[in-house]
Amino acid sequence: MRIGILGGTFDPIHYGHIRPAIEVKHALALDKILLMPNHIPPHKQQPNLTTAQRLNMVADVCSQLDGFELCDIEAKRDTPSYTVVTLEQLKALHPEDELFFIMGMDSFLQLKSWYEWQRLFNFAHLVVCQRPGWQLDAAHPMQQILTVRSHAHQETHEGHAKNTHKNSGQIFPVTITPQDISSTQIREQLAKGEIPADLLMPITLDYIQNQRLYLP
């Protein structure tokens, strides 16, 4: 099975998370996507909502999207949500499956600041979402990593990537439709009494309004 993994604070979860995940799922013929709220994000400030509230919102979203599942593996840990630890745990749970960890190009450019980042490739492929027409500067230190590991993908892709014997360690660049949406923007709108109905799934907006979340 080919399993995509998208982590985040999801504070709240919005179409800027959901639409790229759907595009990646289709582009790489993934069997399912795990949406994984983190508990103690090492690279971000603490979320505004509790972990339980964010899990509820993501579970609601997954209930309405085919092939999407909630993953609470990081929410259950009382230590920082280091991705390498998570992927090692997920690989132990899915030893025969291919894992595809989804990230934006902005995160990929910062990858060398991540905890034990080199070990990520032992457990999963990386999916790097990029905007149409966007290219990484040739002088950027991450360019060589992208080139080498994407080249392995190109070779196997020409011979049908699904049949590759290597089930981790490659980089799959996927061009996605830009989504100019941020959780900060949504929280600010809600605090002003505005309803960002075009940015959130209806079930998410209902939960936020019923729970009276993000009020000033």
Side-chain angles (χ1 to χ4, degrees):
M1 187 175 287
R2 293 159 67 84
I3 302 173
I5 304 153
L6 179 63
T9 49
F10 300 132
D11 187 23
I13 186 167
H14 53 70
Y15 283 127
H17 305 120
I18 296 163
R19 287 169 180 155
I22 292 172
E23 291 186 10
V24 167
K25 184 175 184 291
H26 290 158
L28 298 181
L30 303 182
D31 296 292
K32 64 181 176 182
I33 297 273
L34 303 180
L35 294 180
M36 184 175 65
N38 50 36
H39 179 46
I40 307 173
H43 295 282
K44 289 186 175 182
Q45 65 184 35
Q46 291 306 301
N48 293 263
L49 300 188
T50 66
T51 300
Q53 289 169 323
R54 293 181 294 113
L55 285 170
N56 287 338
M57 285 193 293
V58 173
D60 284 346
V61 165
C62 290
S63 73
Q64 301 207 332
L65 294 176
D66 185 44
F68 279 69
E69 294 180 11
L70 169 67
C71 176
D72 63 359
I73 194 169
E74 290 194 341
K76 291 178 175 178
R77 288 206 311 262
D78 286 328
T79 53
S81 300
Y82 291 124
T83 300
V84 68
V85 175
T86 300
L87 292 181
E88 189 168 17
Q89 289 181 318
L90 285 172
K91 191 61 180 177
L93 293 171
H94 303 274
E96 303 302 319
D97 298 325
E98 275 187 282
L99 303 182
F100 295 76
F101 185 75
I102 302 166
M103 62 171 58
M105 180 60 81
D106 55 339
S107 294
F108 179 73
L109 296 181
Q110 302 297 322
L111 193 64
K112 288 189 176 182
S113 69
W114 289 27
Y115 177 70
E116 295 188 1
W117 68 273
Q118 297 97 330
R119 294 181 61 231
L120 296 172
F121 297 105
N122 295 341
F123 310 114
H125 304 302
L126 297 188
V127 179
V128 180
C129 299
Q130 54 191 30
R131 300 185 304 276
W134 195 87
Q135 295 294 323
L136 185 59
D137 189 293
H140 195 282
M142 295 304 290
Q143 176 60 54
Q144 184 178 7
I145 295 169
L146 184 63
T147 300
V148 170
R149 294 189 178 271
S150 294
H151 182 63
H153 159 56
Q154 296 300 331
E155 288 178 346
T156 55
H157 189 64
E158 288 162 10
H160 306 294
K162 283 189 178 181
N163 298 323
T164 177
H165 297 294
K166 189 171 184 180
N167 70 353
S168 68
Q170 298 174 6
I171 295 177
F172 292 73
V174 176
T175 300
I176 59 167
T177 306
Q179 303 289 329
D180 188 19
I181 308 172
S182 78
S183 297
T184 302
Q185 164 197 1
I186 291 170
R187 292 194 300 268
E188 289 173 351
Q189 286 183 255
L190 290 164
K192 291 188 289 187
E194 299 173 6
I195 308 300
D198 55 334
L199 308 182
L200 301 168
M201 285 184 62
I203 197 168
T204 306
L205 188 55
D206 286 346
Y207 182 82
I208 288 171
Q209 291 180 314
N210 291 337
Q211 299 289 319
R212 297 182 58 77
L213 306 179
Y214 302 114
L215 297 175

